[in-house]
Amino acid sequence: MLGMNKNDTTMLLLVAALTMLAPFILNPFPTDSGLAQFNAGYPDLMQRFVIFGIFAIGFNILFGLTGYLSFGHAAFLGVGSYSAVWMFKLLAMNVIPAILLSVVMAGVFALLIGYVSLRRSGIYFSILTLAFAQMSFNLAYSVLTPITNGETGLQLSLDDPRVLGVSQTADGSIPVTNLFGLEMRSTFEMVVGPWAFQFNAGYYLCALILLAVFYLSIRIFRSPFGLMLKAVKSNQQRMNYTGLNTRPYTLAAFVISGMYAGLAGGLLASMDPLAGAERMQWTASGEVVLMTILGGAGTLIGPVLGAGFIKYFENIFSKINESVLHSWFGALPDGLEDLLVTMVYPFVGKGWHMTLGILFVLVVVFLPGGLVEGGQRVTAWIRSKKAGGNKPTSTTEPAE
Amino acid sequence: MAGLGAQSAPGPFTQQPDLVDRYGTIIPRPPDTHKDKTTNPKVGAMDAILLQILNGLDKGSAYALIALGLTLIFGTLGVVNFAHGALFMIGAFCAVTLQRLLNLSFETVDETQTDFLGNALKVKTPYVEAWFGPQMGGAIIDWAVPLAILFAIPIMVFVGYAMERGLIKHFYKRPHADQILVTFGLAIVLQEVIKYFYGANPIQTPAPEALSGIVNLGAIVGMDIVYPVWRVVYFLFSLLVIGGIFSFLQFTTFGMVVRAGMADRETVGLLGINIDKRFTVMFGIAAAVAGLAGVMYTPINSPNYHMGMDFLVLSFVVVVVGGMGSLPGAVLAGFLLGILESFASMNEIKSIIPGIDQIIIYVVAIIILLTRPRGLMGRKGVMED
């Protein structure tokens, strides 16, 4: 279907089902039950799942296919966000021109940075991208304040000179972002018994875009261009010796992946029209690396999984505080309860970053292929048990 | 640490003046504090330039020490260590810990003093003061930061050793990207551990009173350059550590073997020397260097849990500019970039190219990487692609 083989079609359909039904899937617990805090089906978080999914898919096109580890990808996300907010300020509150501009701007930036950085490979490439990203971050904080509004971050205000549209609505408030009149924040709530499912317009826009770019990334992975990038990853020297100039290919991958990041930034700003410099900091770049590695670099679905996983834990894990822990272990004897709470507490709530770090180290050490490889190992193990010791064959094939 | 105990007589300035902004940059003192207002502007410009060089030296010292450790690790083990900033931070928190330990106190009821309600006042006495007497004990508490050097060395060597044996040794054969990733993860974990125990706020750790004033360095040459004493101490200390490392590598048998191993690991191994063991020791030493840089940096900038990350990025840039694997290159580039950075933050230069102070280091790094990828002093053929 659509020029994909059977496996890829299944995967795309799976992702489509997951994203479209996310309000149900992420809301398995009734609203008034004690487990309701594990529900992730609220618009804000669901939007972030898919947006960072897009970001990670884009990063994976560069890192997963070519092996070039960029440590400055958040710069493109930031550029995207700023462009989108400026579009809202100057042109219209419609998200389409904003997203288009953010993709284009990020593409231009990626072209410039990539042209310089890709002259080197390996760790030098990482450090060059890191240097460029830190430069953008520092500039956004200091000299470029007229454009970026420095530490406060760029926001909409009541006197924005909007060409197509009004500066203020009739009741004197800032207009909201929309898609031809459909407000991004409008949410339809469906109450079924004790459950409340929320369907948000912004989320579905992001999800549709995610599906589109996921399809695009499948096509890139399976194209001759993708094959060329994989060849660069496995042995660039040999490619050069055959008389082939690899740089246009890697540059193209870099720009595409930068545009994905710009798209993610534009969507972030479309959902919530503000942009701050901290989106460009190198820890933000580290986060997308984490997502991709955790999910499985070089696999198609890995980055999406990784992004969802990290964003879920960031929001849900970090909400668990001491009293919640006490209520969980409340059934146990007092001494044991306190012991368990003190043992678990450093890893949840404010300390969830620690869990993330540990998990990350474990994944890099034991599962370099990320969650996808973990899943494959488990399925292979189950099959080998069923088949009575036959040699396991993996089902989905990582790109490497 | 002979350089530290120089003079303990209290200087004319006892409190730290508002000379340092929140980025740790020295702001030149306002003109009214100058004794001689009739100095001609030429001398003033000279002063400003010297002041910037001094400013650069102390920041450069920190860069140089961290970059030296990074290079030691890269040169010996071939590992790109993103957790090195975390080691710097742990060193700083060694100082915090020692200060807290020394301030552990017990309460006594002092009948001679009363509070405003007329109750007997509770007086806290640190154990140290009780053991050594108020004079000696007070001095020990006051000198907590320099004392922390002794406290930090064994801890840092142990941390480095444990890191290398526990985690990093499994990554020698894996690609650099994997090394970056695993050490990045480790850095997050170390940061969070520190944050869990010490909180997220910066913790004030003052320098000893005798060293916390300012000194007029220009007095000898007839110029007026006032400068915090501790920053001078920091610079001298870093020279001492750098000198120590270099002479250790140059003049001891152990150092000779390590240098041989850096040049050709396999051959040294074939000669029947257990080079891995020595490299592990070098990792410990590199960790100690980063830790010491952190210990001594605490009075300049109150330590918080992410201070390491802030320094790490810059230190990596420093290593690359100096040349991967070149120890003198790391030191040279550290001081050079520190000085460049402080010159770029001069108002005269900022008015020509706004924002240059924020990006100068990165710009230099980009230029160096593109024109001379092996760095200022890197050997030909080492990591050049």
Side-chain angles (χ1 to χ4, degrees):
Chain A
M1 193 180 90
L2 292 170
M4 295 182 296
N5 65 25
K6 212 176 131 217
N7 274 341
D8 293 345
T9 315
T10 332
M11 191 151 50
L12 185 66
L13 288 178
L14 180 76
V15 174
L18 280 176
T19 46
M20 288 304 138
L21 300 177
F24 295 108
I25 298 168
L26 294 173
N27 250 351
F29 307 110
T31 4
D32 51 353
S33 73
L35 290 170
Q37 57 179 319
F38 289 109
N39 282 342
Y42 51 93
D44 197 34
L45 184 54
M46 289 196 298
Q47 287 165 5
R48 247 173 290 158
F49 282 159
V50 286
I51 290 174
F52 280 91
I54 294 171
F55 190 18
I57 292 173
F59 181 76
N60 191 38
I61 290 178
L62 181 69
F63 179 58
L65 282 179
T66 67
Y68 277 85
L69 174 61
S70 158
F71 241 85
H73 241 58
F76 306 128
L77 185 96
V79 169
S81 292
Y82 282 125
S83 327
V85 176
W86 271 112
M87 215 56 174
F88 292 136
K89 281 171 101 69
L90 300 178
L91 189 71
M93 291 307 286
N94 195 324
V95 294
I96 297 291
I99 292 174
L100 283 180
L101 181 75
S102 53
V103 174
V104 171
M105 285 303 286
V108 171
F109 261 74
L111 189 66
L112 289 175
I113 294 181
Y115 182 76
V116 178
S117 308
L118 283 165
R119 282 156 183 268
R120 303 274 158 247
S121 60
I123 178 170
Y124 288 119
F125 173 78
S126 302
I127 291 176
L128 272 174
T129 46
L130 182 60
F132 274 115
Q134 279 300 95
M135 243 166 78
S136 329
F137 168 72
N138 286 346
L139 287 179
Y141 248 116
S142 55
V143 189
L144 296 181
T145 305
I147 303 176
T148 62
N149 205 10
E151 270 179 65
T152 335
L154 192 62
Q155 293 165 354
L156 298 185
S157 64
L158 283 170
D159 50 357
D160 287 329
R162 209 160 283 122
V163 181
L164 306 172
V166 286
S167 303
Q168 317 180 5
T169 52
D171 54 352
S173 56
I174 298 171
V176 292
T177 53
N178 60 59
L179 178 70
F180 303 114
L182 175 66
E183 286 186 7
M184 286 295 106
R185 64 172 186 197
S186 63
T187 303
F188 167 72
E189 200 172 84
M190 185 170 94
V191 180
V192 183
W195 285 278
F197 303 110
Q198 297 178 338
F199 301 90
N200 175 263
Y203 167 72
Y204 276 99
L205 177 71
C206 294
L208 287 175
I209 292 179
L210 172 87
L211 287 178
V213 299
F214 187 62
Y215 171 70
L216 186 65
S217 99
I218 295 179
R219 293 305 299 262
I220 290 177
F221 267 64
R222 305 292 180 231
S223 67
F225 169 66
L227 202 63
M228 188 68 84
L229 296 179
K230 285 177 206 169
V232 169
K233 183 180 185 178
S234 52
N235 197 334
Q236 184 162 14
Q237 213 161 22
R238 194 175 288 168
M239 298 295 289
N240 288 333
Y241 287 166
T242 55
L244 186 112
N245 184 9
T246 53
R247 205 175 291 157
Y249 293 95
T250 44
L251 184 59
F254 192 85
V255 173
I256 292 172
S257 127
M259 286 163 88
Y260 268 69
L263 174 65
L267 283 175
L268 269 181
S270 304
M271 297 304 122
D272 186 10
L274 51 89
E278 71 282 347
R279 274 187 197 163
M280 304 170 101
Q281 214 179 358
W282 75 287
T283 41
S285 306
E287 199 182 40
V288 71
V289 182
L290 283 176
M291 290 170 181
T292 312
I293 301 291
L294 190 67
T299 61
L300 281 164
I301 194 134
V304 187
L305 288 181
F309 192 87
I310 287 184
K311 282 291 151 192
Y312 181 80
F313 278 91
E314 181 182 318
N315 284 274
I316 304 300
F317 242 60
S318 57
K319 264 191 279 178
I320 303 170
N321 54 24
E322 219 160 333
S323 62
V324 175
L325 283 180
H326 273 290
S327 70
W328 283 358
F329 299 124
L332 300 168
D334 267 356
L336 193 62
E337 179 189 334
D338 288 341
L339 183 73
L340 275 176
V341 169
T342 33
M343 272 169 60
V344 176
Y345 184 64
F347 299 99
V348 295
K350 282 180 191 157
W352 84 274
H353 268 112
M354 179 130 64
T355 323
L356 185 68
I358 294 171
L359 198 71
F360 185 63
V361 171
L362 292 179
V363 165
V364 179
V365 174
F366 296 110
L367 265 185
L371 293 175
V372 170
E373 192 189 321
Q376 281 169 5
R377 281 196 197 173
V378 171
T379 39
W381 181 70
I382 292 170
R383 283 206 187 157
S384 69
K385 277 198 120 181
K386 265 191 190 161
N390 277 359
K391 254 211 149 163
T393 46
S394 60
T395 43
T396 50
E397 205 174 304
E400 203 183 340
Chain B
M1 301 297 120
L4 292 175
Q7 281 305 311
S8 51
F13 304 96
T14 38
Q15 94 279 28
Q16 184 95 10
D18 265 341
L19 278 172
V20 185
D21 73 7
R22 71 194 171 98
Y23 299 110
T25 321
I26 307 275
I27 302 156
R29 287 172 72 82
D32 57 75
T33 53
H34 287 246
K35 282 160 243 148
D36 185 6
K37 280 189 186 174
T38 53
T39 41
N40 64 48
K42 266 270 162 52
V43 176
M46 209 47 208
D47 283 1
I49 288 172
L50 279 173
L51 188 69
Q52 294 308 327
I53 292 180
L54 282 174
N55 267 339
L57 283 182
D58 69 48
K59 210 152 197 196
S61 321
Y63 294 155
L65 284 178
I66 302 176
L68 184 69
L70 273 174
T71 310
L72 272 179
I73 292 173
F74 183 79
T76 53
L77 300 167
V79 170
V80 180
N81 183 17
F82 258 54
H84 211 68
L87 293 173
F88 175 76
M89 183 254 324
I90 291 179
F93 276 89
C94 282
V96 174
T97 313
L98 186 73
Q99 202 191 29
R100 292 207 172 159
L101 284 178
L102 291 178
N103 275 314
L104 280 183
S105 34
F106 58 91
E107 277 187 355
T108 45
V109 179
D110 188 351
E111 299 290 350
T112 56
Q113 290 176 343
T114 52
D115 62 7
F116 64 97
L117 288 174
N119 301 324
L121 199 65
K122 279 182 186 156
V123 181
K124 276 191 174 177
T125 326
Y127 285 105
V128 187
E129 281 189 22
W131 295 335
F132 296 105
Q135 201 112 51
M136 183 70 186
I140 290 178
I141 292 173
D142 191 28
W143 284 79
V145 171
L147 282 175
I149 292 171
L150 302 176
F151 178 69
I153 289 176
I155 293 181
M156 294 313 298
V157 171
F158 172 75
V159 169
Y161 187 84
M163 237 169 93
E164 203 273 337
R165 286 290 95 183
L167 189 65
I168 291 176
K169 79 167 180 191
H170 306 291
F171 279 80
Y172 293 156
K173 299 269 153 61
R174 309 241 316 235
H176 283 310
D178 278 7
Q179 298 170 352
I180 293 178
L181 294 170
V182 81
T183 47
F184 181 62
L186 185 67
I188 297 177
V189 174
L190 291 176
Q191 264 191 21
E192 290 301 312
V193 170
I194 292 291
K195 187 175 149 196
Y196 178 70
F197 285 108
Y198 294 91
N201 295 327
I203 300 165
Q204 290 250 337
T205 29
E209 209 173 306
L211 297 179
S212 61
I214 53 172
V215 64
N216 193 341
L217 287 175
I220 317 150
V221 283
M223 271 185 274
D224 200 25
I225 306 162
V226 278
Y227 204 66
V229 182
W230 186 259
R231 287 171 181 251
V232 181
V233 171
Y234 192 81
F235 173 62
L236 295 176
F237 174 76
S238 74
L239 286 188
L240 204 73
V241 172
I242 292 167
I245 295 290
F246 275 93
S247 37
F248 176 70
L249 286 174
Q250 211 66 37
F251 302 126
T252 62
T253 321
F254 190 99
M256 190 184 73
V257 173
V258 168
R259 276 186 298 134
M262 281 166 90
D264 190 340
R265 182 183 187 145
E266 250 168 59
T267 311
V268 176
L270 288 175
L271 291 172
I273 296 169
N274 188 351
I275 191 74
D276 283 0
K277 204 170 165 186
R278 293 172 195 239
F279 280 176
T280 309
V281 175
M282 285 318 286
F283 196 105
I285 291 176
V289 170
L292 291 183
V295 167
M296 296 295 278
Y297 206 72
T298 47
I300 298 179
N301 225 342
S302 304
N304 55 14
Y305 73 100
H306 56 76
M307 69 188 293
M309 286 284 185
D310 302 342
F311 266 92
L312 178 78
V313 180
L314 286 172
S315 308
F316 252 102
V317 172
V318 167
V319 170
V320 170
V321 170
M324 290 296 267
S326 158
L327 294 172
V331 174
L332 177 77
F335 284 116
L336 216 61
L337 289 182
I339 292 172
L340 262 182
E341 193 185 14
S342 71
F343 267 108
S345 59
M346 280 170 84
N347 282 330
E348 289 83 352
I349 292 176
K350 268 201 283 190
S351 61
I352 304 169
I353 318 168
I356 185 74
D357 56 322
Q358 304 283 333
I359 58 168
I360 178 82
I361 288 191
Y362 303 109
V363 171
V364 171
I366 289 164
I367 294 171
I368 293 273
L369 273 184
L370 293 178
T371 55
R372 193 183 156 88
R374 67 179 128 130
L376 291 177
M377 298 182 77
R379 269 183 301 148
K380 210 171 165 52
V382 178
M383 294 277 299
E384 258 198 88
D385 57 331

